[in-house]
Amino acid sequence: MKTLFLIADGMGDWPIDALDGKTPLQAARTPHMDALARRGAMGLCRTVPEGMPPGSDVANMSLLGFDPAHLHTGRGPIEAAAQGIDAGPDDLIWRLNVVTLDGLHPGDHMRDYSSGHIATAESHKLIHRLQAELGDDRFRFVPGIQYRHLLIEKNGAKGPGATTDIRPPHDITDQPVDKDLESFAGYPELFELVRKAADILNGEDNPTKANSIWPWGQGRPLHLPDFAATFGCKGAVVTAVDLVRGLGKAAGMATPEVVDVTGLLDTNYEGKVEAALDFLTSGGDFVFVHLEAPDECGHAGNIADKIESIERFDARVVAPIVAALGAEARYLIACDHLTPIAIRTHASDPVPFLYAGPDTLEEKTGVVFNEAACTASGLVLETGHELLPWVLAR
Ligand SMILES: [Zn+2]
């Protein structure tokens, strides 16, 4: 039987005054998800284990059936897996942003985690230069996409630990970096590298907005169990996002490339749907289709766009997939975590989910898919990585 996980990143939300107490999912027109809800089952699932940060990496790992509490090593390692970068078992893989900072002294602020959404060609020049001037047996700069790169530290020590670690730069826009400077003190050689990089990037010959590097999200290389061996089905991940692709690759899943996917409202929905259906018709059993846009709209605090992104998910992902596969397939619709408009970042609340399959064909009336309906159902899966086996067992 074919199984589809259709994941709208950050879709879940809290009631919003400007929407008369509705959430964006309640305010959005979602006739196709509501049709599945009329015959399906709804519930809540805790995708972020107690004590872990509510990142997309952690939450999507849960949705893919793997326990982040045991298998998650950091964000850098997942992105390295996405790029197929080799690292030794004792290496530390850092995610590396090129950023715009006031400077590296107490009271200085993080201004832009993306260096003005720097173009890949521009950032590659910078990363290649940093590798040429600062790369050595200890540190290796690996270019990625736009502002997102990697730094591999040979036999890196794990440092003072997650509670004092360097914060993701997108979480501290226009905030002072004092706390992070304290964390950098736990990694003196790394901080020396950061200071030297800032000297180079602040030179007059750098025309970009990038004036510093920002290593974070470090961990040992990621090893996930093989998806097919673990769950007995051949799976694929369709996504615009490296982080989610990396999880799929690490689990030995197919990760078909789709052209013109952007991770934003204007993404290539039809291309993603086609890639998912192609995989299923060529012998695949399971596809995880991931749509990033609702999360981006949540971070932007844009209510209208978040509603629009949910309506497009319903009309251009859910509708054509259900039309193609009908009542014979199993569907799971969920988000990885909430990205509430009120806080413009991720929340750790359990996520709403909707399941419909050949075992749920009886139609009910007056049922719609939203956070309140999922909460009212009383079904709560407290262990996120048990959701996928729960679906496969039905
Ligand atoms: Zn996410």
Side-chain angles (χ1 to χ4, degrees):
M1 198 191 308
K2 308 298 185 192
T3 305
L4 281 297
F5 269 38
L6 309 179
I7 306 300
D9 201 299
M11 172 168 67
D13 211 307
W14 301 330
I16 296 173
D17 287 345
L19 296 175
D20 293 330
K22 290 182 180 169
T23 65
L25 178 57
Q26 283 176 311
R29 263 182 44 82
T30 56
H32 305 284
M33 292 196 278
D34 293 340
L36 288 178
R38 281 197 295 278
R39 69 174 176 89
M42 288 183 274
L44 296 174
C45 175
R46 190 174 295 285
T47 51
V48 179
E50 204 75 45
M52 294 192 81
S56 293
D57 44 355
V58 168
N60 281 290
M61 189 182 283
S62 284
L63 290 175
L64 281 166
F66 299 114
D67 182 4
H70 290 111
L71 294 165
H72 184 270
T73 62
R75 181 147 172 164
I78 301 174
E79 298 193 11
Q83 290 190 49
I85 303 293
D86 269 342
D90 296 324
D91 292 351
L92 211 49
I93 305 174
W94 298 80
R95 164 68 186 274
L96 190 81
N97 281 45
V98 289
V99 299
T100 312
L101 274 188
D102 292 343
L104 287 163
H105 300 97
D108 285 338
H109 288 59
M110 170 67 66
R111 293 304 178 190
D112 189 342
Y113 66 91
S114 72
S115 300
H117 284 274
I118 189 169
T120 301
E122 294 301 314
S123 69
H124 274 209
K125 283 183 210 159
L126 303 178
I127 295 294
H128 287 306
R129 180 165 173 208
L130 293 174
Q131 172 61 20
E133 296 191 26
L134 303 177
D136 56 20
D137 292 343
R138 177 79 181 270
F139 290 107
R140 174 160 63 103
F141 292 82
V142 180
I145 295 169
Q146 297 168 353
Y147 57 87
R148 308 188 295 271
H149 309 281
L150 295 169
L151 178 70
I152 299 182
E153 183 182 1
K154 193 99 208 133
N155 300 323
K158 285 187 104 174
T163 49
T164 55
D165 261 342
I166 301 151
R167 294 175 295 178
H170 53 262
D171 281 352
I172 53 169
T173 300
D174 290 330
Q175 289 182 33
V177 296
D178 299 41
K179 262 192 194 173
D180 309 283
L181 294 177
E182 286 170 27
S183 300
F184 272 121
Y187 307 93
E189 285 160 308
L190 179 76
F191 190 53
E192 183 63 22
L193 185 82
V194 171
R195 287 198 346 215
K196 285 180 179 166
D199 286 344
I200 292 172
L201 295 176
N202 278 295
E204 281 179 2
D205 50 352
N206 172 14
T208 75
K209 290 185 175 159
N211 67 5
S212 190
I213 57 173
W214 193 266
W216 59 283
Q218 75 278 13
R220 304 285 180 222
L222 171 70
H223 295 290
L224 291 183
D226 183 74
F227 186 85
T230 306
F231 299 111
C233 61
K234 204 173 139 191
V237 169
V238 177
T239 180
V241 177
D242 263 1
L243 203 61
V244 181
R245 186 179 302 112
L247 292 171
K249 281 198 175 177
M253 302 170 79
T255 54
E257 293 285 337
V258 180
V259 296
D260 298 333
V261 291
T262 60
L264 300 170
L265 261 178
D266 64 353
T267 199
N268 180 2
Y269 299 87
E270 289 69 30
K272 290 179 122 166
V273 168
E274 193 184 333
L277 296 176
D278 279 355
F279 179 75
L280 295 177
T281 50
S282 58
D285 309 301
F286 172 88
V287 186
F288 188 94
V289 181
H290 171 264
L291 189 79
E292 175 73 357
D295 177 62
E296 294 289 337
C297 301
H299 284 295
N302 189 324
I303 299 171
D305 277 1
K306 187 160 182 186
I307 292 171
E308 176 72 23
S309 71
I310 295 167
E311 292 186 346
R312 291 191 193 185
F313 173 66
D314 186 70
R316 295 171 70 180
V317 177
V318 177
I321 285 181
V322 174
L325 299 170
E328 296 300 300
R330 290 184 288 226
Y331 304 98
L332 189 286
I333 293 172
C335 51
D336 51 346
H337 52 74
L338 276 55
T339 309
I341 291 280
I343 54 172
R344 296 180 58 177
T345 187
H346 303 174
S348 297
D349 313 29
V351 301
F353 73 84
L354 159 63
Y355 167 78
D359 58 320
T360 63
L361 291 177
E362 200 180 320
E363 288 270 337
K364 302 174 281 292
T365 51
V367 178
V368 292
F369 174 52
N370 58 46
E371 296 87 344
C374 291
T375 305
S377 80
L379 172 61
V380 184
L381 295 183
E382 281 292 342
T383 312
H385 65 276
E386 288 176 358
L387 178 61
L388 185 137
W390 180 84
V391 169
L392 293 179
R394 293 185 70 108

